[in-house]
Amino acid sequence: MWGGIRRWIHPFSYIVTSPIKIDIWSDIACPWCYIGKRHLEGGLAALGDDAPEVEIEYHSFELAPDTPVDFEGSEVDFLAKHKGLPESRVQQMLGHVAGVAAKAGLAYDYDVLQHTKTLKAHELLHFAKEHGLQLELSERLFRAYFTEGRHVGRIDELVELAAEVGLDADAAREALESERYSAAVQADIAQAGTYGIQGVPFFVFEGKYGVSGAQPVEVFSQVLTQVAGEHDGAVA
């Protein structure tokens, strides 16, 4: 369905007259999604004055929908059971991910992380999108979950985080308690299935090209340059 990344790459710069749309499927509880977010940002920054203007929209994807809101145990406990791996292997995996995250400027703290169901966090992200603060909330939720040990599955905690990025706390609570955005979350997940997305992060550029995983910064720079060129030609 999607074009291969390598064949998109061309070492040219372009001036784009309208934003490039980037749709991102991710889950707040996905460590690679936060890393991928940073790598995309780094890819844009690396282009300097040649960086195209982009419009980013996050879409919901639950990696472990059967997770209870109040999971009892550590991240190691969850992954060992969920993936059927010995704890020593899970410890190695988490150490590797934390090392990659550190290179991206992220300080993951698995000792304080509170594993939880992320459905309500996704509902809140849809609420934030409606109020123009989805990107700010996405960053806040990732940081709260991976570095601060906040419980992003509970409504009270989510309302506090929403208020921190400028959202109305009472309106956020009403949106979560009413489950007003639950259908929007499920629509995102269904669309991911239509696209054949089985894991996240997954980036879709201009509705045409898909990039799977937390690719290196330079890959995002190259893809952005290529897509910008095609986009500029289309609107010329």
Side-chain angles (χ1 to χ4, degrees):
M1 167 174 273
W2 307 106
I5 293 175
R6 291 185 180 179
R7 71 182 182 86
W8 303 346
I9 297 170
H10 295 286
F12 302 116
S13 299
Y14 300 89
I15 299 174
V16 178
T17 57
S18 62
I20 289 173
K21 181 67 185 300
I22 305 175
D23 293 283
I24 306 173
W25 272 261
S26 72
D27 192 353
I28 293 302
C30 167
W32 293 107
C33 290
Y34 200 9
I35 294 169
K37 181 179 186 295
R38 279 292 183 274
H39 285 180
L40 173 62
E41 294 165 350
L44 280 163
L47 294 176
D49 292 340
D50 294 325
E53 183 181 355
V54 299
E55 176 189 347
I56 297 172
E57 180 177 347
Y58 278 90
H59 298 273
S60 304
F61 191 99
E62 277 195 282
L63 284 172
D66 295 334
T67 304
V69 172
D70 294 307
F71 175 78
E72 296 183 3
S74 67
E75 184 73 350
V76 173
D77 295 330
F78 173 80
L79 290 174
K81 181 178 180 181
H82 185 69
K83 294 183 176 293
L85 296 171
E87 290 190 4
S88 59
R89 175 58 180 151
V90 173
Q91 291 280 13
Q92 292 176 350
M93 290 169 53
L94 295 181
H96 170 68
V97 175
V100 177
K103 292 180 181 178
L106 303 171
Y108 284 6
D109 189 344
Y110 285 110
D111 291 332
V112 301
L113 186 151
Q114 298 188 63
H115 198 90
T116 185
K117 183 176 179 62
T118 57
L119 177 62
K120 286 298 178 185
H122 286 298
E123 290 179 17
L124 189 62
L125 282 166
H126 278 276
F127 170 77
K129 179 174 68 174
E130 190 173 274
H131 293 275
L133 289 170
Q134 191 191 46
L135 299 187
E136 291 81 357
L137 182 65
S138 175
E139 174 66 27
R140 188 66 191 93
L141 290 174
F142 275 129
R143 178 158 54 89
Y145 185 74
F146 282 107
T147 74
E148 298 174 357
R150 303 281 291 269
H151 196 308
V152 302
R154 295 174 182 160
I155 289 179
D156 286 347
E157 194 91 354
L158 289 170
V159 169
E160 288 182 14
L161 294 169
E164 288 182 22
V165 301
L167 291 163
D168 181 87
D170 291 336
R173 181 178 297 278
E174 186 280 328
L176 293 174
E177 290 179 348
S178 69
E179 301 183 349
R180 181 154 34 102
Y181 294 94
S182 61
V185 172
Q186 296 308 316
D188 275 354
I189 295 171
Q191 188 175 12
T194 300
Y195 283 169
I197 298 172
Q198 297 181 330
V200 288
F202 197 93
F203 305 79
V204 179
F205 294 80
E206 287 289 280
K208 297 190 298 183
Y209 300 118
V211 175
S212 179
Q215 297 293 330
V217 168
E218 56 269 22
V219 170
F220 282 111
S221 291
Q222 292 165 338
V223 172
L224 285 161
T225 298
Q226 175 64 14
V227 174
E230 295 181 7
H231 183 85
D232 187 46
V235 299

